[in-house]
Amino acid sequence: MGTPRGPWRWAGQYARRWKKTASPLPVSSNAGSPVQAAGPGAAAAPRPGEPARVRPPHIRQAGSRALLIETTGTAAASSLHAQLLAAPLPGQVEVVPAARTVLLRLATPAYARQAAELLAALDPVVPAAVRSASSAAPLVELDTVYDGEDLAEVARLTGLGTSDAVAAAHSGTEWTAAFCGFVPGFAYLTGGDPRLAVPRRDVPRTRVPAGAVALAGQYSAAYPGPSPGGWQLIGRTAAPLWDLDREAPALIVPGARVRFRPVRERFELQPEAGRGFPASTDTHAANGSSGPAAPELPATPRTQAAPAAVVLHPGPQTTVQDRGRAGYSSIGVGTSGAADRAALARANRLVGSRPDAAALEVLFGGLALRAERDLVLAVTGAACPLSVLAAGGTERPVLPDAPFLLRTGEVLSLRMPPAGLRSYVAFRGGLDLPLVLGSRATDTLAKLGPDPLTAGTRLCVGPDPGTAVGLCEVPPPLPGADAELRYLPGPRQDWFSAAGMDAFADQGWTVGNDSNRVGIRFTGEPLPGRRAGELESEAVLPGSIQVPASGLPILFLADAPVTGGYPVIGVVVETDLDLAAQLRPGTTVRFIPVPPLSVPGPVPGPGLVPGAD
């Protein structure tokens, strides 16, 4: 990594942005333990003409390669988000802002440790370049008809008295997009008239129409598509807030400035607010818990191709998966991709395809497909018995974890597995489907990518890669009736008493029947000693173990939401997530706490000599 420019400067082994009045911070050696940066000038209000100051953050470990940085509020989190985008730290992969926190994902545990050191030495002065960039952020103007169903109630709650007064207050202030969550493209807007702070509805609506303009707490938002919602509706806009046909699908991204422009004429919204918008099932966000443009991608050229295979029976659920779509969390889109990534990589390796080639993820067997031309396939993951039925009626078994030929007209069947849950069927050349935000993966929560397969689905395959097929491989053992998952405590273990933390690790938790690609819901004795209430929205990762008020943990998997409002007691070690993807309902799971990973010291940049000053 190169030497950072802008706010981060190198001094010895570390980049320290320090004034002489600031004192360095210790970095927590305990996973998830907060460390507050305390500098003499941190709490002082700036004099006229002085640079703006923010209180240095708490730094919490969130797994081995991520840090949850806790600030004093939404404005401070937005400022830190802009600062990290303006001058990325070494190894920085993604920065996800939320209500009071910023999640920083790093490439390796070593980079995570280095980032913690750099952030601990963060000068509480907001750089002028960052402030200038914030004031120059794109302005989005939304023509808005103020005729919402809750407009009169908002007028009463705020004491403004009339609908016109509410409209004037809402449109009279420029708002700023602090973060996105809930569903793709749903931006939480801050900075409006403080008189407009209103509670959520007592009874959420089951469906809020696309384009609805709403208020909840300190936030305003415009719904990019139809979804459940508990916010107070005050108007509507016809602006295309989310559209996959655009290179940058989200109209409003974190850091953008937003102004609502009142219009009197009535207009009709299109039936869909942009191609590909999902119908959300995130009831927590629907109840209203509380920059730079999104990455642009070139349009993917498409050519008509004859199908290579046809699905006869999809089984309980079969989806297309690859490595997922990284880098879009800031606009509300999670990574998704294969739940058992090692099994997907192994299947692609066996057929000679690229590691990121798209394949089929099959839940609990039941898939049957017919080859329309000769194909080289491999099946990995759950221990499904495999058979091939020839056109003449003869049947032969095939081995898993080895490449095999499926001739034209033959039918491959995956039966119910005696062990494991998810199987992966790789095709030499990879499945050829349109890219959605750089991936062919089906995200079942965000409703992105191809729909789950149905009988009659026609599958196209890419060109032969021209590489050799792999040799038969020995797969890792699949979980049985009992399994163990290692986890790093935190970042919110301080929400639990010592007894609660002990009970979490001591108890055997049972995988519930309502688990899916979003997460595993566990049953058991509810955890004692959980603090009452909910967090403001903050970013979560696959592997995060969230504990809602019920005291029953939820382990997020590949289709995890971008943000959540419940404390995360720990994050499962990444290498154990593949095992978690194979856990069947009824399996007993014990969570094994592990200490923070021992990683080498900070990675020196060019021209830096370890130990030199």
Side-chain angles (χ1 to χ4, degrees):
M1 308 297 294
T3 303
R5 296 186 296 273
W8 310 106
R9 302 194 191 102
W10 291 107
Q13 289 189 12
Y14 307 114
R16 300 185 188 276
R17 286 188 62 254
W18 260 154
K19 300 293 184 185
K20 291 183 179 179
T21 57
S23 58
L25 287 174
V27 175
S28 171
S29 61
N30 297 320
S33 296
V35 181
Q36 184 172 9
R47 296 189 182 97
E50 283 188 345
R53 289 177 176 266
V54 295
R55 184 178 302 168
H58 290 75
I59 303 168
R60 300 171 179 264
Q61 188 172 350
S64 62
R65 296 193 297 118
L67 302 173
L68 187 70
I69 309 162
E70 189 172 19
T71 70
T72 56
T74 304
S78 297
S79 176
L80 179 59
H81 174 243
Q83 194 169 347
L84 289 168
L85 289 178
L89 294 177
Q92 181 173 307
V93 173
E94 193 170 22
V95 186
V96 189
R100 302 176 63 89
T101 59
V102 174
L103 184 77
L104 178 62
R105 291 182 56 233
L106 288 307
T108 66
Y111 280 128
R113 178 178 172 182
Q114 182 183 17
E117 295 280 359
L118 296 176
L119 289 164
L122 178 64
D123 188 342
V125 175
V126 178
V130 174
R131 298 196 307 276
S132 175
S134 298
S135 62
L139 175 65
V140 177
E141 294 187 307
L142 301 178
D143 288 348
T144 304
V145 175
Y146 286 95
D147 62 354
E149 296 178 40
D150 302 317
L151 192 57
E153 177 65 7
V154 169
R156 185 190 69 81
L157 290 170
T158 59
L160 291 171
T162 67
S163 298
D164 287 345
V166 172
H170 188 257
S171 61
T173 306
E174 187 174 278
W175 299 76
T176 300
F179 61 99
C180 291
F182 177 19
V183 293
F186 187 98
Y188 291 74
L189 309 178
T190 63
D193 191 320
R195 296 175 296 172
L196 294 175
V198 292
R200 301 186 300 271
R201 287 170 53 88
D202 292 336
V203 180
R205 291 180 172 89
T206 57
R207 187 181 187 278
V208 174
V213 175
L215 296 167
Q218 64 175 312
Y219 301 109
S220 185
Y223 281 73
S227 69
W231 291 36
Q232 306 279 0
L233 305 186
I234 61 172
R236 55 194 172 90
T237 179
L241 300 164
W242 177 263
D243 190 346
L244 287 174
D245 287 330
R246 289 193 303 243
E247 289 182 322
L251 182 63
I252 304 173
V253 298
R257 299 175 295 135
V258 179
R259 183 172 289 278
F260 294 90
R261 190 164 52 195
V263 294
R264 291 293 184 183
E265 66 270 20
R266 300 185 63 85
F267 51 84
E268 295 297 326
L269 291 176
Q270 297 297 319
E272 296 180 1
R275 184 178 69 84
F277 188 81
S280 171
T281 57
D282 184 342
T283 56
H284 174 71
N287 291 348
S289 62
S290 17
E296 294 188 357
L297 295 171
T300 304
R302 299 295 304 155
T303 57
Q304 295 294 327
V310 174
V311 175
L312 303 180
H313 304 288
Q317 183 186 64
T318 299
T319 59
V320 175
Q321 299 298 339
D322 55 19
R323 284 182 169 176
R325 47 183 66 82
Y328 293 93
S329 294
S330 64
I331 60 170
V333 177
T335 302
S336 189
D340 184 343
R341 299 201 166 206
L344 171 70
R346 191 165 64 253
N348 278 326
R349 190 162 57 244
L350 288 168
V351 298
S353 292
R354 302 182 319 274
D356 61 346
L360 298 180
E361 181 180 274
V362 184
L363 180 71
F364 216 54
L367 173 70
L369 59 84
R370 183 182 66 239
E372 300 298 296
R373 62 177 175 85
D374 288 358
L375 298 170
V376 175
L377 308 179
V379 181
T380 61
C384 290
L386 309 175
S387 67
V388 171
L389 181 64
T394 59
E395 188 173 11
R396 72 177 191 274
V398 293
L399 293 175
D401 294 283
F404 63 90
L405 177 65
L406 189 70
R407 297 189 180 279
T408 304
E410 292 185 330
V411 175
L412 170 67
S413 296
L414 280 67
R415 296 188 173 90
M416 183 183 300
L421 186 64
R422 292 178 171 91
S423 301
Y424 294 85
V425 182
F427 296 71
R428 182 171 174 82
L431 291 173
D432 185 20
L433 296 95
L435 290 170
V436 178
L437 300 183
S439 170
R440 297 178 171 88
T442 299
D443 186 328
T444 59
L445 179 65
K447 301 296 188 290
L448 294 176
D451 292 333
L453 273 57
T454 60
T457 298
R458 298 153 69 89
L459 301 173
C460 295
V461 173
D464 190 279
T467 56
V469 297
L471 299 175
C472 178
E473 297 191 22
V474 178
L478 292 165
D482 300 282
E484 292 182 348
L485 296 176
R486 297 169 296 166
Y487 77 99
L488 289 161
R492 293 292 182 183
Q493 79 273 44
D494 55 334
W495 270 60
F496 303 89
S497 66
M501 293 296 296
D502 290 343
F504 176 72
D506 291 343
Q507 182 176 167
W509 298 95
T510 302
V511 176
N513 291 324
D514 52 353
S515 302
N516 52 33
R517 279 183 49 85
V518 176
I520 299 174
R521 293 181 178 269
F522 291 95
T523 61
E525 287 295 321
L527 279 185
R530 179 194 183 277
R531 188 191 305 176
E534 295 179 0
L535 286 168
E536 292 190 78
S537 292
E538 61 186 28
V540 294
L541 297 165
S544 297
I545 309 165
Q546 201 175 62
V547 182
S550 67
L552 300 176
I554 300 169
L555 168 59
F556 285 132
L557 297 180
D559 288 352
V562 172
T563 59
Y566 302 114
V568 172
I569 196 171
V571 180
V572 168
V573 174
E574 286 185 59
T575 53
D576 285 5
L577 281 179
D578 295 333
L579 178 69
Q582 298 295 349
L583 295 174
R584 300 155 68 108
T587 303
T588 299
V589 176
R590 290 190 179 275
F591 290 98
I592 309 300
V594 296
L597 299 181
S598 176
V599 295
V603 181
L608 294 179
V609 179
D613 196 15

